[in-house]
Amino acid sequence: MPEVRRGPLSGVRVLELAGLAPGPFAGMMLADHGADVLRIDRVGAVSDRPRTDVMDRGKHTIGLDLKSPEGVAAFKELARHADVVIEVFRPGVAERLGIGPDDLHAVNERLVYGRMTGWGQDGPLAATAGHDIDYIAVSGILSMLGRDGDKPTPPINILGDFAGGGLMLAYGVLLALFERERTGQGRVIDAAMVDGAATLFAMFYQAAASGHWGPRGTNLLDTGAPQYDTYETADGGYLAVGSLEPQFWDAMVTLMDLKDLPDRNDRSQWPALKARLTEEFKSRTRAEWEALFDGSDACVSPVLSMAEAATHPHNVARGSFTEVGGLAQPLPAPRLLGVPAQDLSPATRLADLSSWGLSQEEADKLRSQGVLA
């Protein structure tokens, strides 16, 4: 029997079809809060080697040949006992395999079918390849990222794949599960990264259209302003300055003992003010500045490496990170007070599929045929 999970999604069964980044991330978000997630890998991808991918944490996995009639029939049986399917293929692939929404709703009308793509299920680009950088480019977001006078800078693949993709898909799954409580019917979710990424920037579309947001790198929040930027320290470290409000700015300036500064409310003075801060911050090490600002409302923080973040006193006090298999990883978020921590061990092979509707005899037969790993 699968491990009993006590999070708010305890009892929710999810079939996650193996894929890259956003699909597994959505599955991780659901598993983090108690869902029983069964990852469906290719037969050849399942081995006895321990899994280490953080996005596989708290899941089980099997290998199933979905190009065989027997594999498709087995998947439909699994879907009959599932609440959610996460599918990450290009449009039309699931239908050709015989596991599209209509195929699975025929055996389970309550099933929530989540589809994760870059371009969406329709539109002129739907059938074409792409990556995070392409989706945020077409959404208009990439044009806004970077410094003044420099080319657009992609923020790794966080906005398209993870925030606009996987997280939006997990949100859509929760919406559909909530709706199902009233209607008794499942729903298909068309989670497109280009749509999700655009939604994240809703405020900035409005600001740009109204003339309150200028060219890339010239605005209050995109490194244009001296009060919202990073500055190098004497030892090659960096500080993040976010002293937007006057009281926070005053706290920073007072602690730094700066006099006769240009007026930060005069945009024409921003370059001069930024040059002054750049010079001042390079006069001390990051540790010295960190000690000076510690406990203040100056909104100045050290730019930590990922390794340093796991050992920062605040993160340690909150228990924001843990170690699994010798590797540090962030704990599930958001926190639901009173809910015990979930199992964060990497995906383990699920040998007993009886609770998912496949008897031991059926499973053994599929294994002997090479359909089930």
Side-chain angles (χ1 to χ4, degrees):
M1 295 288 291
E3 176 188 355
V4 176
R5 311 296 292 278
R6 293 179 291 169
L9 296 180
S10 177
V12 174
R13 295 185 168 201
V14 180
L15 291 174
E16 176 197 306
L17 289 160
L20 298 176
F25 183 70
M28 184 198 83
M29 293 295 293
L30 300 175
D32 279 352
H33 294 289
D36 184 7
V37 179
L38 180 59
R39 178 182 167 96
I40 310 299
D41 276 300
R42 298 187 311 277
V43 171
V46 176
S47 71
D48 292 325
R49 293 193 304 271
R51 302 181 77 108
T52 58
D53 192 332
V54 65
M55 290 187 291
D56 277 346
R57 67 189 189 187
K59 303 175 184 178
H60 294 291
T61 184
I62 61 171
L64 191 62
D65 181 6
L66 293 176
K67 293 184 179 180
S68 70
E70 296 83 1
V72 169
F75 186 79
K76 286 183 177 180
E77 190 60 32
L78 297 174
R80 187 191 305 276
H81 295 81
D83 297 287
V84 179
V85 164
I86 292 176
E87 178 255 293
V88 293
F89 304 138
R90 289 200 200 186
V93 171
E95 284 80 357
R96 290 195 294 274
L97 290 172
I99 57 171
D102 291 343
D103 302 303
L104 299 190
H105 281 151
V107 300
N108 182 359
E109 65 179 11
R110 290 174 52 83
L111 188 71
V112 172
Y113 196 107
R115 318 195 80 168
M116 179 79 264
T117 61
W119 302 116
Q121 295 298 314
D122 54 21
L125 294 176
T128 65
H131 282 293
D132 177 287
I133 193 171
D134 303 299
Y135 311 136
I136 67 173
V138 172
S139 72
I141 290 176
L142 186 55
S143 70
M144 306 173 73
L145 305 178
R147 292 187 176 275
D148 182 24
D150 204 351
K151 62 182 181 180
T153 303
I156 52 179
N157 63 329
I158 192 70
L159 288 178
D161 280 349
F162 294 104
L167 191 59
M168 288 291 186
L169 175 57
Y171 175 55
V173 166
L174 297 181
L175 292 176
L177 287 174
F178 182 77
E179 180 190 45
R180 193 182 70 176
E181 292 301 304
R182 298 195 307 270
T183 67
Q185 299 292 316
R187 182 175 291 279
V188 179
I189 303 162
D190 179 2
M193 292 177 227
V194 66
D195 299 341
T199 298
L200 293 170
F201 273 61
M203 181 183 82
F204 298 97
Y205 285 100
Q206 176 188 0
S210 62
H212 292 100
W213 196 264
R216 176 174 60 253
T218 65
N219 303 281
L220 182 64
L221 300 174
D222 64 357
T223 74
Q227 61 266 42
Y228 204 85
D229 203 350
T230 57
Y231 294 90
E232 188 176 4
T233 59
D235 55 344
Y238 288 89
L239 295 170
V241 172
S243 51
L244 291 173
E245 293 80 1
Q247 67 271 28
F248 303 147
W249 174 263
D250 291 343
M252 182 188 76
V253 169
T254 299
L255 286 170
M256 296 176 72
D257 194 27
L258 295 177
K259 310 292 185 184
D260 303 321
L261 291 177
D263 182 6
R264 74 170 196 160
N265 295 315
D266 182 354
R267 294 175 68 99
S268 69
Q269 295 297 313
W270 280 4
L273 185 49
K274 186 173 288 193
R276 178 76 181 276
L277 291 178
T278 297
E279 179 183 12
E280 186 65 26
F281 279 123
K282 289 202 72 170
S283 68
R284 304 188 199 184
T285 66
R286 195 189 78 179
E288 289 174 323
W289 287 117
E290 190 173 357
L292 178 68
F293 292 117
D294 185 39
S296 76
D297 276 346
C299 299
V300 178
S301 304
V303 177
L304 303 179
S305 68
M306 298 182 79
E308 289 174 316
T311 61
H312 187 275
H314 180 81
N315 295 332
V316 171
R318 283 184 55 79
S320 299
F321 292 84
T322 190
E323 193 172 284
V324 178
L327 301 174
Q329 60 180 262
L331 284 173
R335 302 182 185 192
L336 302 177
L337 300 185
V339 175
Q342 303 298 310
D343 177 20
L344 300 183
S345 58
T348 55
R349 296 179 67 174
L350 184 60
D352 183 6
L353 290 168
S354 59
S355 65
W356 285 86
L358 284 182
S359 69
Q360 190 64 47
E361 181 181 1
E362 291 171 310
D364 288 342
K365 180 180 178 181
L366 291 172
R367 290 189 179 100
S368 69
Q369 296 172 334
V371 174
L372 175 66

